[in-house]
Amino acid sequence: MFTSLSELAKMIDHSLLQPHLTDAELEAGCALALQYDVATVCIKPYYVTRAAELLKGSNVGVCTVVGFPHGGNTITMKVAETRQACKDGATEIDMVVNVGKVLSEDWRYVKKEIYAILKECHKHEAILKVIFENDFLPKDKYKVKLCKICSTLGVEFVKTSTGYGYTKQADGSYNYKGATEADIRLMRKNCTPEVQVKAAGGIRTLDELLKMKALGATRIGATATVVMLEEAKKRLGLAASEIQSPVVDGY
């Protein structure tokens, strides 16, 4: 299922988006990302500048979010968020679609929004991941249409969830499913090969990561980075001393 720790680490966007995280915790999260040499840290927008400083010279990118978590901002505001994030040092943008417009089947608006943000990303040589928030989409037809739009526009990634897409359950409580096997299969099937799939929400173990990988996901959003990669080390028979932090300029 995997042959190296790096193969798995470079699938992970280490998520640092929880509202309660302090500056000290965000800095520690960046250090952890460096230690394990993951793909990116996905960090709160206000901390992008500092994260870029901490990760300078490394192979760990800076990802942040736009229209997060509910996607209801105007197109103008989302473009402005994207522009600022890129100027601050973000190299990847995870943007939440306007879910209400998706459910209204206002595809002209949805396409216009995604195109505007993709165009702004490309001005700054950043890549775009479009978050569908599948928990809010009761029928597969919405996800399929989004896949087709993203494929037509040439978006780099489609993404399942924010991890905060809580919906009301039968007992009155709120919960979410996040990334599901069915959704990864559907998204991979309905996107062109050039569009990659990111699974996010509820992926907490190595076996869950490997399952998503087998289904076609090439990137994972996770807070359980240490748990997953330490388990991978055990399965590979690696000692702790064999995991070294990369040399980082100025860190």
Side-chain angles (χ1 to χ4, degrees):
M1 294 289 286
F2 65 100
T3 58
S4 71
L5 191 68
S6 178
E7 176 188 350
L8 298 183
K10 286 305 183 186
M11 287 185 64
I12 297 175
D13 289 341
H14 182 56
S15 181
L16 297 168
L17 297 170
Q18 299 92 325
H20 57 77
L21 290 178
T22 65
D23 288 358
E25 289 170 322
L26 294 174
E27 183 156 344
C30 289
L32 186 151
L34 282 170
Q35 178 184 350
Y36 287 92
D37 197 25
V38 297
T40 75
V41 291
C42 193
I43 203 156
K44 294 189 282 188
Y46 87 89
Y47 206 78
V48 167
T49 300
R50 178 58 177 155
E53 292 172 354
L54 294 170
L55 299 170
K56 184 179 179 180
S58 77
N59 292 318
V60 179
V62 179
C63 176
T64 195
V65 289
V66 164
F68 194 85
H70 297 129
N73 295 353
T74 64
I75 296 174
T76 300
M77 184 59 68
K78 287 182 176 179
V79 170
E81 285 185 83
T82 302
R83 183 181 305 118
Q84 188 63 55
C86 291
K87 287 181 178 180
D88 289 345
T91 55
E92 301 190 6
I93 300 294
D94 287 20
M95 180 273 292
V96 188
V97 296
N98 187 318
V99 180
K101 285 292 191 179
V102 172
L103 293 173
S104 299
E105 300 188 37
D106 189 348
W107 301 119
R108 182 177 179 182
Y109 181 98
V110 172
K111 188 172 183 178
K112 179 181 178 182
E113 175 184 81
I114 296 172
Y115 175 72
I117 296 160
L118 180 65
K119 184 178 178 181
E120 189 64 33
C121 284
H122 288 180
K123 281 183 184 178
H124 303 276
E125 299 183 346
I127 72 169
L128 177 63
K129 307 188 198 88
V130 177
I131 306 174
F132 293 5
E133 199 62 280
N134 288 338
D135 277 88
F136 292 163
L137 305 178
K139 298 178 181 178
D140 284 350
K141 68 175 185 177
Y142 300 115
K143 304 165 197 176
V144 170
K145 182 67 175 180
L146 284 169
C147 286
K148 301 299 184 185
I149 290 172
C150 289
S151 294
T152 299
L153 294 176
V155 167
E156 286 82 8
F157 280 86
V158 293
K159 178 179 172 183
T160 59
S161 324
T162 63
Y164 299 89
Y166 293 92
T167 57
K168 194 170 185 178
Q169 307 297 304
D171 63 0
S173 65
Y174 283 80
N175 208 334
Y176 75 98
K177 294 179 182 178
T180 67
E181 294 180 40
D183 280 342
I184 298 300
R185 286 193 189 94
L186 180 144
M187 293 166 75
R188 183 62 278 157
K189 178 181 178 181
N190 288 283
C191 286
T192 58
E194 295 77 16
V195 179
Q196 299 182 66
V197 178
K198 177 177 174 180
I203 302 168
R204 301 184 180 92
T205 69
L206 176 60
D207 286 333
E208 289 169 342
L209 183 155
L210 293 174
K211 188 171 290 183
M212 293 300 171
K213 180 176 183 290
L215 293 172
T218 54
R219 196 75 69 85
I220 303 293
T223 58
T225 300
V226 173
V227 171
M228 293 189 290
L229 293 182
E230 287 297 324
E231 177 60 26
K233 281 165 52 179
K234 290 180 183 177
R235 296 189 193 182
L236 289 167
L238 297 176
S241 61
E242 295 180 66
I243 307 302
Q244 298 179 350
S245 301
V247 176
V248 183
D249 296 339
Y251 185 77

